[in-house]
Amino acid sequence: MNNSTVNFTTPEISTNSTTQSIGVLDCLEICVYSINLFFSLPTHSYIIWLIITGTESGVASEFFILNLSFGEIGICLNSLVFILSMWISSLKILDAFLLGLIFTGRPLFQCLICVERYLAVVHPVTFLKFKPLRYRVICCTAAWIIILGSCLCCMYTIVPHNTVHMWFFSLQFLHFFFIQLFCLVAVLRALKQSGPGERRRERKVENGIKKRTFDLILITTVTMVISYVPYSIAGVFFHCHRKA
């Protein structure tokens, strides 16, 4: 996960050995972020180009993915800012600000994609009602406002009040996780049920759509757990260690 390593240490508890080895750690971080920058930036730029140059219905149907790719471009920019902040200390504020894209932007748009797929399978009438592009634009506008608030929260809390940010990040992760888990279980139940009077071919096609939706939500949920759980545990562990 790009630049999602949060420094849970404080200047008061830093040791000389840590100070001596920080150069090696910085070089390792620079290598990781550089690899992410060089691979993620062209990949998501290509995704954006494919969606924009497609048909109008393509832009509408993949609007959440389009916004997710824009968020990933911002995360790539965060990698570049982090690398430059090694030599330009004034960029550390911008680096902390862009962390909001990692902590909130990525999981929020992933969650919106999962909810959209859930509505398409479990509540198709509601999905068709809110299918027009204007409803997706409203949702994404609200999402970007939330992301902006998260960026400001990171900028003002991640350095001076690390504990506050840790609890905020953990609660936010649990919120997104339970929403996606609910969508996953609901789609799984719909996958096991068959409507009355369905033909075998129609049932097979519908089950194929449900299966792809289930796989997408499952992969997204597992990816989010693998990406964010270690940092939530590390933050809680550090908080308990400080209180002890």
Side-chain angles (χ1 to χ4, degrees):
M1 183 175 64
N2 171 38
N3 198 17
S4 56
T5 304
V6 181
N7 182 14
F8 288 109
T9 59
T10 59
E12 291 78 10
I13 63 175
S14 298
T15 61
N16 293 331
S17 60
T18 304
T19 303
Q20 293 174 357
S21 63
I22 194 171
V24 178
L25 295 176
D26 287 344
C27 290
L28 180 61
E29 286 182 321
I30 289 174
C31 290
V32 172
Y33 298 148
S34 297
I35 292 173
N36 181 80
L37 177 64
F38 291 132
F39 280 94
S40 294
L41 185 60
T43 299
H44 289 285
S45 298
Y46 182 62
I47 292 174
I48 292 173
W49 180 80
L50 285 177
I51 296 176
I52 292 178
T53 56
T55 60
E56 182 180 354
S57 59
V59 175
S61 61
E62 306 298 338
F63 195 70
F64 291 140
I65 297 178
L66 178 65
N67 281 266
L68 175 62
S69 295
F70 276 117
E72 293 292 340
I73 294 292
I75 293 175
C76 293
L77 177 62
N78 177 244
S79 292
L80 178 61
V81 171
F82 175 81
I83 295 172
L84 295 177
S85 67
M86 295 290 184
W87 296 276
I88 307 174
S89 59
S90 59
L91 290 176
K92 291 186 181 297
I93 296 296
L94 179 59
D95 176 55
F97 177 82
L98 292 174
L99 283 176
L101 289 171
I102 299 174
F103 293 138
T104 302
R106 178 186 287 161
L108 178 56
F109 283 119
Q110 288 177 343
C111 189
L112 285 174
I113 292 171
C114 292
V115 171
E116 180 188 40
R117 299 299 193 270
Y118 155 78
L119 289 175
V121 171
V122 182
H123 302 287
V125 176
T126 304
F127 172 75
L128 292 175
K129 180 180 179 181
F130 294 101
K131 189 177 180 180
L133 180 61
R134 63 179 180 273
Y135 295 108
R136 290 180 168 90
V137 171
I138 293 172
C139 290
C140 288
T141 300
W144 281 111
I145 293 174
I146 294 173
I147 293 169
L148 177 61
S150 177
C151 290
L152 293 173
C153 179
C154 289
M155 186 172 65
Y156 288 108
T157 65
I158 195 169
V159 176
H161 306 290
N162 226 336
T163 302
V164 175
H165 182 270
M166 180 270 296
W167 285 114
F168 168 76
F169 169 60
S170 299
L171 291 174
Q172 175 188 262
F173 161 75
L174 290 175
H175 180 71
F176 290 140
F177 172 73
F178 284 122
I179 291 177
Q180 292 185 204
L181 190 62
F182 170 79
C183 295
L184 185 69
V185 173
V187 173
L188 179 61
R189 291 182 59 186
L191 181 62
K192 293 182 177 180
Q193 296 175 353
S194 298
E198 288 181 340
R199 298 178 181 177
R200 179 176 298 180
R201 180 176 298 179
E202 293 175 351
R203 187 184 310 160
K204 187 175 181 180
V205 172
E206 183 180 356
N207 286 343
I209 296 173
K210 292 178 180 179
K211 183 65 167 58
R212 287 193 295 271
T213 302
F214 175 80
D215 291 341
L216 184 145
I217 298 176
L218 177 62
I219 292 171
T220 303
T221 304
V222 171
T223 301
M224 187 176 69
V225 169
I226 294 174
S227 300
Y228 291 95
V229 163
Y231 300 103
S232 298
I233 295 175
V236 173
F237 175 79
F238 173 72
H239 175 67
C240 295
H241 177 72
R242 286 189 62 186
K243 291 184 70 175

